[in-house]
Amino acid sequence: MAWLKSYPFVLSTNLHGGSLVANYPYDDSVTGQDGIYTASADDKLFVELSYRYARAHPKMWKTGRRCGLSADGDNFINGITNGAGWYHLAGGMQDWQYENTNCLEITVEMGCFKFPTDDMLPKLWEEHQFSMLSFMEMGLTGVSGLILDRNNATVANATISVDTGKDIISTPAGEYWRLLPPGDHQVTVSARGLESDSFTVTVVAGQRAIRHDITLLECGANETKSEMYQRGRGKNRIAVLSFDEIGFKVVNELARLTCTGDFAIDTDLTLMLLPNMTSDLKVRLSDFDPQAVLIISEGSVETVTFSVSENEPRLFDKAKMDESLLKALGASVQCDRKLIESNIALRVDDLQLKKAFELGVSIGCDEQMLEKKAATIGTISNMIKNELIKDSVSEFSVVPSAHPGDHFTPDQMIHVTSAAIAELARQECVQEVSRGANKYYLMGSGKPPYTLIAAVEKRTEAMAYEMMSTYCNPETKGEFSEILTQSTLVFMPEIPHTQLNCHDYDTISPFKMLFDEAIAAVPQLDFVVILATGGMKVRYINETLGVARQIAEQYRSEHDLMKSTDQEGCAKSLPTEKEAIRGFSWSDNASRMDKSGVQHPTDNLDALLVQIGCCYENMASGHLYSENQRAVKAALTERLRGVRILGGADGMTVSVDGQHKTLPLLGGRRFVPLPNGEHLIKVRTPGGQTHAQFAAIISDRTPTVEKFIGVQSSNMLIITIASILMIIACTFMCRQRVTSVLNRRGFFNGIGSKQGFERIPLYKSDDEDEDEIFDMQKL
């Protein structure tokens, strides 16, 4: 342990035997139970490090069971696993390294033999040599540099923090190396007696480490930051601000004490210090999204709560807080109660921090004992943090894991993985369509509407496969007969470069190119249901006739966890994405493609993004389909509300109720989604002339109206007349044979009587001369 601390290692591999997998921290879970996915702050980076190792191995990266292939054998997706998500281990080397050094360590199980014999070692080296090289190459990525003071002296033992990840410490020579995954990262450097400073670094996959040297100034010397200070890098956020002169001096003093190290805030706390709160700082305060706000003011020593009751921590005791405050500062003499004045309440309300616990703290009317007052405010911050998190859950019993095997029995596995496809094909339940690396599976009647159901995360793939298996199972598919007979479902259960990590979404426009490919493969697609996690909410895109919101509402109304609240239920969502339901757009600012002005097929595609799991659940997937089965069925049933147009020709367009937005006919077919009511539908030729128009009445009882509009074509008219003359000219024998052929083609099923047209016995030669009588394809 002393040796590991004496060198600035950045990477380590701990080699074991007994399985074939790359295992990353944490190995230890809070409760000491097996199967509890316990992510470190660098979880994304560890997944990349582990997969880099596994992918360079000839077999480790492959998904599936290994080491005996028994029902209880190890089963890993992509050859990696979180340690505690596999089985719990306390006191492991990789966890100790992560907590106590700069080093990132993974444990590699090199093979199924726990104690390989001498003759096996050369083979092990041959299999693992490129994995080790690939892993070590990651040590050259991220950001590195020197930390100096204003006199160009190196700063030893400075703390380097990143927005997501553990802190590391600079060497005695002021050097630092910080490995980072691809993306934008904010790096903050701090040292005792010096002002902290931050910078943003963009890490590109495959790029060598970016060099960034930084100079730190003495405490209070950085004038550009005097309006706002940030201290600490913990996940719990508290803002401390003031509106008056005495409060200004106390907050500034707290900034100095936390800079010099004379007062230490809790390690899991971040403070934003705003000595002089102005309207210009409201945006920065809102972006900080504090869980609590302390308003420091002159006045009689006391506290005042401004929050609504639901924002107040259950463990907060105002009487005890006032008692502690008086003990620390003493009572003020002849001091007004400034915090109860209406103008203070109005200014606090103007901050618009509706979810934060807002506590006013009066610290007297004089400028004496500034250091003691500042330290008291720091202590209150630590106390409030403890009250905020005292009853919060830090571990969850969903038994998350990186593979469906933790949630499904072996006999169920075939229904929730790609192994299901062979069985579905055997049942002739799906039709596979490939385009490039993408595969699509069509299910249903072949009639419009066509709905794409795409799993865009590893975690939701099992749900898509389970849905396909359930819709095909003879014992269960009857529940979905209306959907299967009146529409076509196109499943995309896996996408290239699927997302391994859970995150929230503020856009889905980056998926445009993926869905462009889907439309190229299946041109009839006009709606997509995207299965993802990162929240418990629904997002929709209305690009055609504005019915996607109705479908989203139907989904939400049948989901037990979503329907009960207007705010989504996961703890760590994007601040701007808290609503349980709202609209998105394909043309938002996040879409780089839109800036080029290129038109996409997706521009005429409606969409539903369903986020059906919280990130703290990690890779748990066994419950997803059962939780969402009713909601998916309700949404797909709502999808059937509209008119199905048959006939017409390519190039024709459809408009509804005089709207300028037009929808193209494809192959003489189109489904037009409509709300309940009466609607006027117009079909126009490429030249803009009206080819057909009709009224469609949509109701709950008849969600789909079917309309045949015919085709304007002189050639079709000539062929039809010729066909009638040929039938009239036939002899009785010919008529009998023609009728037989038509009936075999299904043309008379259900016509003429409830039982359908009576089948005429076939002649022995029918199979041979059917095409000579009638070529129905040409007709």
Side-chain angles (χ1 to χ4, degrees), residues 537-706:
K537 52 196 170 187
V538 185
R539 299 292 180 258
Y540 60 88
I541 288 181
N542 283 329
E543 293 293 351
T544 52
L545 299 172
V547 299
R549 182 183 176 93
Q550 296 171 220
I551 298 172
E553 291 284 8
Q554 277 296 106
Y555 194 103
R556 183 183 172 219
S557 69
E558 292 296 328
H559 194 287
D560 290 336
L561 299 177
M562 293 184 192
K563 67 183 180 182
S564 59
T565 176
D566 292 330
Q567 298 290 312
E568 70 98 24
C570 298
K572 291 187 176 180
S573 298
L574 294 170
T576 57
E577 294 298 334
K578 294 293 186 181
E579 304 102 300
I581 184 170
R582 83 174 184 88
F584 272 179
S585 170
W586 288 122
S587 56
D588 59 30
N589 292 331
S591 175
R592 293 173 294 173
M593 293 159 284
D594 294 324
K595 297 174 183 177
S596 65
V598 175
Q599 287 290 316
H600 292 265
T602 317
D603 291 336
N604 285 317
L605 189 71
D606 287 352
L608 197 70
L609 167 69
V610 290
Q611 292 178 245
I612 51 179
C614 300
C615 285
Y616 60 65
E617 294 175 321
N618 230 293
M619 298 299 288
S621 55
H623 61 291
L624 291 182
Y625 179 68
S626 60
E627 278 185 1
N628 291 273
Q629 179 175 344
R630 275 199 344 267
V632 171
K633 181 182 177 182
L636 294 178
T637 302
E638 183 69 16
R639 256 293 270 157
L640 304 179
R641 208 172 300 287
V643 60
R644 183 185 299 115
I645 300 173
L646 303 176
D650 286 347
M652 290 184 176
T653 56
V654 182
S655 64
V656 179
D657 298 334
Q659 292 187 22
H660 296 297
K661 185 96 175 178
T662 58
L663 308 174
L665 283 178
L666 293 169
R669 298 191 301 173
R670 179 81 210 190
F671 182 84
V672 182
L674 297 169
N676 282 352
E678 185 172 347
H679 305 275
L680 178 63
I681 315 295
K682 288 188 178 182
V683 181
R684 291 186 173 88
T685 65
Q689 296 178 328
T690 300
H691 168 65
Q693 66 178 26
F694 56 93
I697 300 176
I698 306 300
S699 69
D700 291 337
R701 289 192 171 188
T702 55
T704 303
V705 173
E706 194 164 278

Side-chain angles (χ1 to χ4, degrees), residues 59-111:
K59 292 178 290 186
M60 184 185 290
W61 61 277
K62 295 181 179 180
T63 293
R65 295 191 179 276
R66 57 209 62 205
C67 300
L69 301 180
S70 66
D72 297 321
D74 304 328
N75 185 347
F76 305 107
I77 281 188
N78 300 324
I80 66 175
T81 184
N82 171 261
W86 183 14
Y87 66 90
H88 161 262
L89 172 72
M93 183 171 165
Q94 65 182 20
D95 287 7
W96 183 87
Q97 283 263 63
Y98 186 72
E99 290 293 327
N100 294 281
T101 76
N102 290 353
C103 192
L104 302 171
E105 179 178 292
I106 66 171
T107 300
V108 173
E109 302 287 348
M110 300 183 73

